[in-house]
């Protein structure tokens, strides 16, 4: 029976999308790496909270997230677990591409990639405390069902989502928005099976004005026949929602419902609840949030069966194991990425990953969707891709830690962009390289040579700067795929004015 080592070069706390990428990158630098994960499987929010497709790796048709995250997507596709990246004809509300995936395949592929890379994985454990010498973290204490375990390390990567390691080490942080002190709401996601998907699609086509956004999704690569179906995303059903709310038959935290395909034919995924007003980094508040999330989930699913064509015989076949958290703590680092940095597409000399997704803020105050006045929820397109500097991954006053995932140093506005799964994977890859090289070279994250980090990331296939020739090829390929797609269908939910652009 394999036992864990008492000391590692790098310990990754959290096995979600950032943690998986961080561990792979760390191990590939040659660092002895351990992942500690509170669940019995990998994927974090991506698998445990039942979130929908992997958000874009793309800005327009340019692939911005590459390297190890793309290797993971390739392995997932090879296992029959993903469509790969599908281009959204209208990116508003969804982003430029979506990668639909089977969550069980995700768990398996992530696990096998880590094992192959030589990473040790300790499941069913929680961070209890950290080891510290002066201002430097030197390891962690974790709690299991039977006892506590202590591991020493040269570097710890905080992929906990909430910044648990950094906070326990004494790092400063901001909860949610620095002015309002409110965070984006969580969601209890779910799926329904035995749906007449064609009937649902026809209803959307017949009621276009009842939807805030809607788009068809175009395949960019062949994928497994078992997953073949027409993929789409739509947010609306506003007339039916209002009718049910007024009748007291629907109680949930939104005023419209987002539906999209699950990866398997005949099922629909729901991002349709809004669990707001809870600090999901607080255990007591999280418990109350779970109650609220489950109530909303039940209400929405029964509404769909009673009100929406195509759901007459449907049933809930899968639900999130816990409410998915969009936002909580932002650890204060050597640099804090701002909303202006993101919106303006700013570049930095110490870039270690790139951002690309619009600033997507879900209303922290209640049900209302995107607003144009900047209050509540909003969607802001970017002028260009932006850089995420290494300094955002380094706590301002604590050594021995690399920040990763959604707890890196950024404002709430900036976080509204980089929090999506594709962006998180890119940050995870960067954090793993930083930690691995620090451990091997015996330096602290604030001391690491940026060029060495960038060279290693490029060797892994990461995209740190725009390659104009590669981007041109990607754009030409996407255009060809869209033209073939349009010729093969005679019905679309995508707005006519958007479709017109592809015919010009």
């Amino acid at each position: 029976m394999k036992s864990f080592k008492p000391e590692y070069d790098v310990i990754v706390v959290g096995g979600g999308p950032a943690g998986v990428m961080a561990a792979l990158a760390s191990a590939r630098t040659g660092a002895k790496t351990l992942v500690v994960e509170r669940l019995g499987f990998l994927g974090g929010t991506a698998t445990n909270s039942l979130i929908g497709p992997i958000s874009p790796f793309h800005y327009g048709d340019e692939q911005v997230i590459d390297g190890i995250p793309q290797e993971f997507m390739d392995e997932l596709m090879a296992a029959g677990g993903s469509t790969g990246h599908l281009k959204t004809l209208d990116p508003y509300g969804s982003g430029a591409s979506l990668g639909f995936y089977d969550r069980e395949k995700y768990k398996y592929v992530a696990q096998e990639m880590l094992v192959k890379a030589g990473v040790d994985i300790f499941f069913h454990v929680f961070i209890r405390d950290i080891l510290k010498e002066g201002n430097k973290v030197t390891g962690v204490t974790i709690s299991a069902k039977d006892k506590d375990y202590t591991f020493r390390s040269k570097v710890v990567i905080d992929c906990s989502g909430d910044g648990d390691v950094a906070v326990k080490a004494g790092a400063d942080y901001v909860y949610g928005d620095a002015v309002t002190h409110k965070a984006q709401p969580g969601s209890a996601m779910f799926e329904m099976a035995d749906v007449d998907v064609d009937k649902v699609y026809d209803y959307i086509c017949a009621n276009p004005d009842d939807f805030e956004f809607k788009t068809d999704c175009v395949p960019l690569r062949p994928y497994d026949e078992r997953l073949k179906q027409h993929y789409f995303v739509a947010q609306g059903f506003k007339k039916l929602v209002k009718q049910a709310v007024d009748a007291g038959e629907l109680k949930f935290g939104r005023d419209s419902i987002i539906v999209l395909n699950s990866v398997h034919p005949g099922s629909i995924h729901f991002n349709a609840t809004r669990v707001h007003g809870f600090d999901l980094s607080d255990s007591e508040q999280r418990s109350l949030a779970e109650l609220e999330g489950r109530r909303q989930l039940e209400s929405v699913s029964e509404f769909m069966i009673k009100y929406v064509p195509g759901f007459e015989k449907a049933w809930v076949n899968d639900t999130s194991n816990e409410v998915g958290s969009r936002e909580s703590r932002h650890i204060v680092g050597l640099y804090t990425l701002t909303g202006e940095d993101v919106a303006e597409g700013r570049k930095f000399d110490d870039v270690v990953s790139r951002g690309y997704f619009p600033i997507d803020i879900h209303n922290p105050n209640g049900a209302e969707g995107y607003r144009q006045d900047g209050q509540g929820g909003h969607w802001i397109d970017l002028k260009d891709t932006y850089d995420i500097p290494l300094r955002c991954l380094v706590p301002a006053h604590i050594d021995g830690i690399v920040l990763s995932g959604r707890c890196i140093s950024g404002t709430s506005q900036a976080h509204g962009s980089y929090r999506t799964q594709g962006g998180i994977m890119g940050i995870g890859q960067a954090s793993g390289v930083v930690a691995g090289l620090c451990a091997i070279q015996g330096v602290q994250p604030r001391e690491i040579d940026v060029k060495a980090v960038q060279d290693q990331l490029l060797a892994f296939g990461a995209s740190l700067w725009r390659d104009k020739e590669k981007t041109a090829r990607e754009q030409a390929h996407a255009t060809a795929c869209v033209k073939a797609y349009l010729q093969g269908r005679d019905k679309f939910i995508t707005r006519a004015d958007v479709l017109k652009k592809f015919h010009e």
Side-chain angles (χ1 to χ4, degrees):
M1 180 179 175
K2 182 178 180 179
S3 60
F4 297 100
K5 307 174 187 68
E7 184 171 342
Y8 289 85
D9 294 323
V10 174
I11 296 176
V12 180
V13 176
V20 170
M21 298 303 126
L24 286 170
S26 170
R28 291 185 186 184
T29 67
K32 293 185 297 182
T33 304
L34 170 70
V35 172
V36 294
E37 167 55 45
R38 65 189 179 86
L39 303 170
F41 51 85
L42 298 168
T45 302
T47 52
N48 187 50
S49 295
L50 214 76
I51 65 172
I54 295 173
S55 63
F57 280 25
H58 298 76
Y59 178 77
D61 295 323
E62 175 191 3
Q63 183 161 345
V64 175
I65 303 301
D66 213 336
I68 296 174
Q70 183 57 46
E71 284 185 42
F72 175 74
M73 289 294 289
D74 292 341
E75 291 289 335
L76 201 51
M77 290 184 73
S82 178
T83 62
H85 308 296
L86 305 187
K87 176 180 173 62
T88 56
L89 293 180
D90 186 351
Y92 181 74
S94 298
S97 67
L98 294 171
F100 293 78
Y101 64 96
D102 180 316
R103 279 170 288 277
E104 301 309 315
K105 293 287 190 181
Y106 190 121
K107 297 173 186 176
Y108 171 73
V109 169
Q111 160 188 304
E112 293 305 297
M113 287 184 73
L114 289 186
V115 170
K116 184 178 179 180
V119 175
D120 286 347
I121 310 169
F122 202 158
F123 288 123
H124 302 296
V125 289
F126 291 80
I127 282 293
R128 178 60 58 202
D129 205 351
I130 54 96
L131 308 181
K132 199 174 176 184
E133 294 178 2
N135 213 37
K136 182 175 70 173
V137 171
T138 59
V140 298
T141 297
I142 58 177
S143 292
K145 179 179 180 180
D146 52 348
K147 61 180 181 179
D148 288 350
Y149 297 79
T150 295
F151 296 100
R152 294 194 171 273
S153 66
K154 297 174 182 176
V155 184
V156 177
I157 308 179
D158 191 339
C159 298
S160 66
D162 295 325
D164 292 338
V165 177
V167 171
K168 288 180 182 296
D172 295 328
Y173 68 91
V174 174
Y175 175 81
D177 184 271
V179 176
T180 68
H181 305 296
K182 293 180 179 179
Q184 291 198 52
S187 287
M189 300 194 184
F190 65 100
E191 291 184 356
M192 298 184 75
D194 287 344
V195 179
D196 186 337
V197 178
D198 290 338
K199 194 172 181 180
V200 177
Y201 188 84
D202 288 344
Y203 178 86
I204 299 170
C205 285
N207 298 272
D209 295 336
D210 202 28
F211 290 83
E212 298 170 54
F213 62 79
K214 52 195 186 317
T215 186
D216 300 279
C217 303
V218 179
L220 297 177
R221 284 173 54 185
Y223 55 86
D224 196 286
E225 288 292 330
R226 290 173 290 180
L227 311 182
K228 286 295 175 69
Q229 58 179 317
H230 177 62
Y231 288 89
F232 63 91
V233 182
Q235 176 171 312
F237 302 101
K238 294 182 76 78
K239 289 183 294 188
L240 297 179
V241 166
K242 186 177 187 308
Q243 181 182 343
V245 169
D246 290 347
E249 294 183 320
L250 175 58
K251 297 178 181 180
F252 72 136
R254 308 179 73 123
D255 61 357
S256 61
I257 289 175
I258 301 177
V259 295
L260 57 158
N261 309 77
S262 174
V263 74
H264 297 294
S267 59
I268 289 289
H269 177 86
F270 288 84
N271 179 355
T273 64
R274 183 166 288 158
V275 184
H276 65 88
F278 299 97
D279 177 355
L280 296 181
S281 65
D282 179 285
S283 296
E284 293 185 16
Q285 291 193 44
R286 176 174 277 279
S287 292
L288 297 174
E290 298 295 349
L291 297 175
E292 174 61 20
R294 189 68 56 179
R295 291 180 183 125
Q296 290 188 26
L297 187 158
E298 175 70 10
S299 185
V300 172
S301 59
E302 288 299 316
F303 158 78
M304 298 301 293
I305 292 170
K306 182 173 181 179
Y307 280 83
V308 180
F311 284 87
E312 293 85 352
K313 297 180 180 180
W315 53 285
V316 175
N317 68 303
D318 205 358
T319 66
S320 59
N321 293 319
E322 64 182 8
V323 168
S325 175
R326 286 187 176 86
E327 181 181 19
S328 56
R329 303 176 183 130
H330 308 291
I331 306 301
V332 177
L334 296 177
Y335 181 78
T336 299
L337 196 70
T338 68
E340 186 175 337
D341 291 335
V342 170
E344 294 294 323
R346 286 184 178 149
K347 310 298 189 285
F348 298 92
D349 290 340
D350 60 336
V351 54
V352 290
S353 191
R354 298 170 69 197
Y356 54 85
F357 199 79
I359 297 175
D360 179 17
I361 305 291
H362 288 239
N363 192 342
N365 299 315
E368 191 177 46
Y370 296 134
R371 294 170 51 148
Q372 301 303 313
D373 59 4
Q375 302 298 314
H378 53 271
W379 176 279
I380 300 173
D381 287 318
L382 312 182
K383 292 182 179 179
D384 194 5
T385 63
Y386 59 93
D387 291 348
I388 296 174
L390 189 155
R391 289 165 292 160
C392 291
L393 278 58
V394 182
H397 307 296
I398 305 292
D399 286 329
I401 295 179
V402 176
L403 305 173
S404 192
R406 61 181 173 84
C407 72
I408 67 168
S409 183
T411 65
S412 182
Q413 287 282 315
H415 164 272
S417 169
Y418 62 70
R419 67 176 177 81
T420 57
Q421 190 172 172
I424 291 301
M425 286 180 165
I427 294 169
Q429 175 176 236
S431 68
V433 168
V434 172
L437 292 182
C438 284
I440 291 169
Q441 296 176 12
V443 299
Q444 291 302 316
R446 70 186 68 247
E447 303 167 344
I448 191 71
D449 178 49
V450 173
K451 187 176 185 304
V453 172
Q454 292 171 337
D455 287 346
Q456 184 64 79
L457 284 165
L458 293 174
F460 287 159
S463 172
L464 299 182
W465 300 281
R466 177 168 291 136
D467 182 330
K468 292 183 178 179
E469 292 183 1
K470 178 173 177 286
T471 299
R473 291 194 300 271
E474 291 167 342
Q475 290 171 338
H477 174 69
T479 298
C481 290
V482 170
K483 287 183 176 180
Y485 173 86
L486 295 179
Q487 291 173 358
R489 287 187 62 83
D490 57 5
K491 186 185 298 183
F492 307 93
I493 63 170
T494 307
R495 296 194 335 257
D497 60 315
V498 173
L499 289 174
K500 183 179 179 181
K501 298 176 184 177
F502 296 102
H503 290 291
E504 295 174 347

